[in-house]
Amino acid sequence: MSGKILVTGATGFTGGFVCQELWKRGIAFDCLVRASSHTQQLESLGVKLVEANLDELESLYRVFPGYQALINIASIGFGAAPKIVEACENSGIRRAVFVSTTAIFTRLNAQSKAVRQAAEAAIINSNLDYTILRPTMIYGTPSDRNMIRLLRLIEKSPIIPVLGEGKSLQQPVHVEDVAWAICEVLNSAQTYRREYNISGGQVLSYNEVIEVASQALAKQPLLLHLPTKLSVKLIKIANTLGIKTPVSAEQVLRLNEDKVFEHTAAKKDFNYSPRLFTEGIAQEVAIHKAGGRRQEAGGRRQEAEGRRQKAGDSKES
């Protein structure tokens, strides 16, 4: 891709991996950030940062001119997409890659569903050479917000509560595979004005997800299944009483909905071949354990340093 590339959502979980992939490929890019964003990782890559607010059209008009392409990793579920599309069209940006989600296909009346559908409609009805990528649930490394919670629960508890039968089908996708796909389609004219599902390489029931994750941790927890309707009812009662619950009623219903999506078109058009969940979760567990060992070693060093300081104080007194 010749010309300047602007990346939004670069400070997020997926965005960080996309920036690393772009950097690895030798693709020059700038990052749009908020004034309050944590940008240390981006600064370490030597990336130029430009400040703007995706919700403010005037802010986008100030930044977008001069760029030829946009990689929008920032969520389109908050209503900013129509403004982003308008700013692109009127600022000379022709090529745009947008990250959406397969959650737009949920049968539930989710609050963000209509917003995301409207966002995709604005993109599709634009004059842009767009590509829309829809990942399934993204995981990978202890920085994710999904599998790491399950891994920590399996480590700590011999009993894993499952809200529902656990038979719903899942297809988690590794963040590195998502980042690869985003960067791969950037220069692919074959993907212009197309939408693709970016799902994981393995379909499992939720019970099997727990089983595979447990095996990676060398654990054998007992699964305690709670009826879906009862779980939803109890959560709603707790929320009514002002009690904060680890998951929402909508998340429980979503967990018990099949989330399986073909990525045949992505395979055909840009050779998308995601890793198996067994491989991805083993990688995450290895990183998680290595991090724990580093923390433990750091704690031992601090403890030893404390003993040395205490011994020195005793000698002086």
Side-chain angles (χ1 to χ4, degrees), residues 26 46 64 88 91 138 169 218-219 245 259 271 300 306:
F64 278 18
C88 284
S91 300
I138 302 173
L169 299 178
K219 299 282 187 178
T245 53
K259 296 182 283 294
N271 199 31
R300 286 198 296 267

Side-chain angles (χ1 to χ4, degrees), residues 61 68-70 81-98 119-132 191-195:
Y61 276 131
Q68 282 72 51
L70 174 74
K83 292 188 178 76
I84 296 171
V85 168
E86 180 181 341
C88 284
E89 289 181 321
N90 295 321
S91 300
I93 293 178
R94 181 73 179 180
R95 175 65 175 137
V97 178
F98 288 89
E120 286 204 10
I123 297 165
I124 292 169
N125 292 325
S126 73
N127 296 321
L128 301 177
D129 289 329
Y130 69 83
T131 302
I132 296 175
T191 68
Y192 286 10
R193 302 194 67 80
R194 295 288 306 277
E195 306 95 56

